[in-house]
């Protein structure tokens, strides 16, 4: 007789619906790989009588009682696919307390309450898996936890928010302004009705917090991660980037400094100019990628669909299969944490201590001597210039742009210089700063 594993789905939206579809479409292959089949025995939703759902399900499975769904005796695995941090946190802790293994796609919850959730799971002896929480369908969690288990990550650069990547890719292709492209992205379903978390970098910061924990065995306060959204990028920045063989990408960046086990961790989220010849420059549209630099392997790149019904469901169901295997091997919930315990707290490197290169754009009055005044202030703050252009003559209300690419400089020096420059009478707009990142030196 085929063994069965009882599943409760919390949420039947994009991801929950994808899980139902994948369990049906791939039932035979999944049963062959696991030696068992999954049976969805309860599905919690907000509105049981919703007229239209992503997939058809037996309506008798639907309930709006999340607590009842997670406590049922015939449930082994609870998949939390509701989202948010209030009900989802309550439901996950209730499931863990009831002795259920948990799969989640909820990066916000893990980034903000990970310590509580994983602590409770360890005490209760249950598994918590979360592959879909970062890069959707790209199995980066498994790579970092298993594939690179014997290696040591030195740095990572990721494009982990598909909405931001789609918008910047389209801005680069069409040179249309951010707000126009955002409207199109919403119409096409690439951006939420409220896109704030995506375009502000908040969603990426949640994912970065999870990655930092896996790579550097430490926890990081999401609120303390320096985070800038893509709305600082204007079409004119893409013109200059293009001219100098860069592209602008929405990056998450993390790096270990000093002692590999105890040194401070640099973590930041912002759009960055990267060399057009770097692998990440080709990650376009809504795709995600993670570029990892590790001690033994060197550079490696993981690429694919970071969201979407089936790609995300694929990660959720693969986690269910792994838990199923753990159950049959009688190691489910054994002290083999799916998330590293902090070996010891590591300091977060302050952004002011960052040394990198910068793209700076100044909007100034068209007057003789302006360029000299800007360069004098930059020089006085130890910032040396790799490239500079002053474009054309002012027409009407438009300022003249002075655009600068610096050599490596200290962020606190750059900030001090910009504060001084922004007060000059010849300046018409606050300076625009975009950091430059990447593994390839500029030409
Ligand atoms: N969509 C993606 O591509 C993607 C990718 C990676 C990770 N994720 C993560 O996956 C999770 C789910 O995302 P999603 O896109 O599937 O969301 P979604 O389409 O908005 O679906 C949310 C589901 O949760 C249910 N729900 C909401 N409030 C509830 C309540 N009070 N009680 C019971 N059920 C409730 C909804 O019920 P009703 O159907 O009745 O409204 C709906 O079925 C989120 O954490 C998200 O960040 C999503």
């Amino acid at each position: 007789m085929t063994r069965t594993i009882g599943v409760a789905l919390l949420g039947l939206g994009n991801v929950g619906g994808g899980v139902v579809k994948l369990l049906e479409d791939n039932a035979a292959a999944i049963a062959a790989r696991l030696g068992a089949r999954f049976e969805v025995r309860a599905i919690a939703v907000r509105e049981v009588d919703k007229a239209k759902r992503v997939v058809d399900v037996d309506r008798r499975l639907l309930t709006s009682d999340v607590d009842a769904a997670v406590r049922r005796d015939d449930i082994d695995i609870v998949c939390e696919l509701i989202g948010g941090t209030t009900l989802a946190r309550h439901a996950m802790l209730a499931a863990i307390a009831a002795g259920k293994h948990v799969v989640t796609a909820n990066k916000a919850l893990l980034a903000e309450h990970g310590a509580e959730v994983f602590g409770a799971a360890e005490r209760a002896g249950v598994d918590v898996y979360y592959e879909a929480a970062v890069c959707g369908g790209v199995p980066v969690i498994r790579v970092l936890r298993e594939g690179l288990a014997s290696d040591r990550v030195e740095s990572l650069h990721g494009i982990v928010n598909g909405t931001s990547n789609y918008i910047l890719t389209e801005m680069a292709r069409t040179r249309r302004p951010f707000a126009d492209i955002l409207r199109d992205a919403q119409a096409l379903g690439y951006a939420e009705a409220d896109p704030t978390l995506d375009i502000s970098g908040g969603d990426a910061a949640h994912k970065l917090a999870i990655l930092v924990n896996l790579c550097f065995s430490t926890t990081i306060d999401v609120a303390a991660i320096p985070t800038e959204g893509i709305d600082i990028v204007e079409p004119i920045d893409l013109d200059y980037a293009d001219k100098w063989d860069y592209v602008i990408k929405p990056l998450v960046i993390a790096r270990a400094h000093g002692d590999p086990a105890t040194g401070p961790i640099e973590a930041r989220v912002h759009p960055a100019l990267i060399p057009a010849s770097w692998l990440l420059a080709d990650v376009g549209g809504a795709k995600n990628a993670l570029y990892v630099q590790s001690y033994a392997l060197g550079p490696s790149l993981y690429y694919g669909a970071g969201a979407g019904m089936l790609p995300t469901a694929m990660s959720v169901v693969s986690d269910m299969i792994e838990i199923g295997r753990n159950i049959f091997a009688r190691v489910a919930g054994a002290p083999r944490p799916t998330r590293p315990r902090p070996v010891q707290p590591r300091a977060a490197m302050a952004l002011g201590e960052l040394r990198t290169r910068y793209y700076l754009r100044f909007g100034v009055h068209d007057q003789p001597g302006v360029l000299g005044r800007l360069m004098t202030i930059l020089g006085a703050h130890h910032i040396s210039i790799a490239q500079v252009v002053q474009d054309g003559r002012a027409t009407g209300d438009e300022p003249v742009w002075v655009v600068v690419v610096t050599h490596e400089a200290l962020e606190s020096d750059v900030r001090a210089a910009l504060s001084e420059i922004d007060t000059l009478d010849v300046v018409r707009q606050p300076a625009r700063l975009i950091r430059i990142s990447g593994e390839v030196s500029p030409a």
Side-chain angles (χ1 to χ4, degrees):
M1 207 180 74
T2 318
R3 292 182 283 192
T4 57
I5 293 177
V7 176
L9 298 183
L10 310 184
L12 188 63
N14 280 314
V15 185
V19 168
V20 169
K21 182 168 164 49
L22 193 61
L23 286 175
E24 279 170 20
D25 291 355
N26 277 1
I30 291 168
R33 286 178 191 139
L34 179 60
R37 63 188 185 81
F38 292 110
E39 197 171 279
V40 177
R41 294 181 174 145
I43 305 177
V45 291
R46 179 173 29 205
E47 201 186 320
V48 171
D49 296 321
K50 207 178 217 179
K52 197 163 158 36
R53 294 212 164 268
V54 189
V55 288
D56 288 330
V57 293
D58 181 344
R59 294 180 78 85
R60 287 170 302 179
L61 295 176
L62 298 179
T63 174
S64 57
D65 189 342
V66 170
D67 284 296
V70 304
R71 292 210 179 96
R72 283 171 58 141
D73 288 340
D74 58 351
I75 298 297
D76 304 292
I77 301 176
V78 170
C79 296
E80 184 283 301
L81 307 168
I82 294 175
T85 53
T86 310
L87 176 64
R89 170 172 165 267
H90 165 83
M92 215 136 106
L93 293 173
I96 290 168
K100 315 299 184 190
H101 306 291
V102 172
V103 177
T104 184
N106 192 332
K107 52 263 173 179
L109 179 62
L110 294 184
E112 287 172 21
H113 302 287
E116 181 185 25
V117 166
F118 288 99
E122 243 182 87
R123 286 191 297 278
V126 299
D127 285 342
V128 175
Y129 279 79
Y130 51 100
E131 183 62 69
V134 183
C135 292
V138 193
V140 295
I141 302 293
R142 211 157 258 114
V143 163
L144 294 171
R145 201 185 56 225
E146 314 291 346
L148 299 181
S150 65
D151 208 341
R152 191 182 76 227
V153 174
E154 294 165 339
S155 68
L156 64 86
H157 291 75
I159 296 174
V160 299
N161 184 272
T163 306
S164 300
N165 197 30
Y166 173 83
I167 291 173
L168 285 185
T169 304
E170 283 303 292
M171 280 178 73
R173 197 176 64 81
T174 63
R175 295 293 198 271
R176 291 166 60 219
F178 170 80
D180 287 10
I181 305 281
L182 172 60
R183 222 173 297 118
D184 289 357
Q186 285 170 318
L188 289 166
Y190 287 129
E192 303 279 339
D194 178 2
T196 316
L197 204 56
D198 290 322
I199 63 179
S200 68
D203 172 77
H206 285 144
K207 292 165 179 167
L208 182 58
I210 295 171
L211 292 172
V212 162
N213 176 255
L214 276 170
C215 293
F216 305 118
S217 302
T218 189
T219 50
I220 188 163
D221 177 6
V222 188
I225 298 177
T227 302
E228 286 170 9
I230 57 165
D231 47 350
I232 63 165
V233 179
E234 292 179 29
I236 190 167
D237 300 314
L238 294 153
D239 290 340
Y240 285 110
D242 204 21
K243 207 180 283 183
W244 288 331
D245 277 339
Y246 291 104
V247 295
I248 304 185
K249 287 288 170 195
L251 289 194
V252 299
I253 299 170
R255 194 187 311 272
H257 289 267
D259 184 291
T262 59
I265 300 297
E266 166 193 340
R268 48 196 166 103
V269 178
H270 55 75
L273 274 77
I274 65 172
S277 55
W278 195 24
L279 287 169
L280 283 181
D282 290 330
V283 178
K287 288 286 193 290
N288 280 198
L290 191 65
Y291 180 95
V292 179
Q293 177 69 40
S294 58
Y295 163 73
L297 177 62
S300 55
L301 178 72
Y302 310 92
Y303 165 89
M309 183 173 169
L310 281 180
T312 311
M314 186 279 294
S315 285
V316 172
V317 176
S318 294
D319 279 351
M320 289 163 56
I321 292 173
E322 194 162 338
I323 292 176
R325 288 175 177 153
N326 293 345
I327 292 172
F328 297 139
R330 298 181 194 286
V331 294
R336 182 189 30 83
T338 55
R339 174 185 199 259
R341 291 188 195 85
V343 178
Q344 58 184 95
R346 298 176 69 161
M349 195 185 91
L351 194 57
E353 294 171 44
L354 175 69
R355 284 195 77 82
T356 191
R357 290 176 297 131
Y358 296 84
Y359 161 97
L360 307 172
R361 175 163 59 84
F362 304 98
V364 295
H365 285 290
D366 188 8
Q367 282 175 15
V370 172
L371 184 61
R373 289 176 75 185
L374 299 184
M375 295 304 115
T376 303
I377 295 175
L378 292 173
H381 287 276
H382 322 290
I383 299 156
S384 76
I385 309 302
Q387 280 153 315
V388 59
V389 302
Q390 176 169 358
D391 253 352
R393 300 199 66 86
T395 51
D397 279 346
E398 283 295 296
V400 166
W401 301 118
V402 174
V403 185
V404 168
V405 167
T406 74
H407 288 297
E408 271 200 3
L410 193 62
E411 174 116 358
S412 56
D413 285 341
V414 175
R415 291 285 173 194
L418 298 194
S419 303
E420 199 175 325
I421 287 171
D422 282 346
T423 62
L424 295 180
D425 54 357
V426 291
V427 167
R428 296 188 56 175
Q429 285 194 6
R432 180 59 45 97
L433 172 157
I434 306 178
R435 295 174 195 85
I436 301 176
S437 298
E439 302 290 299
V440 185
S441 300

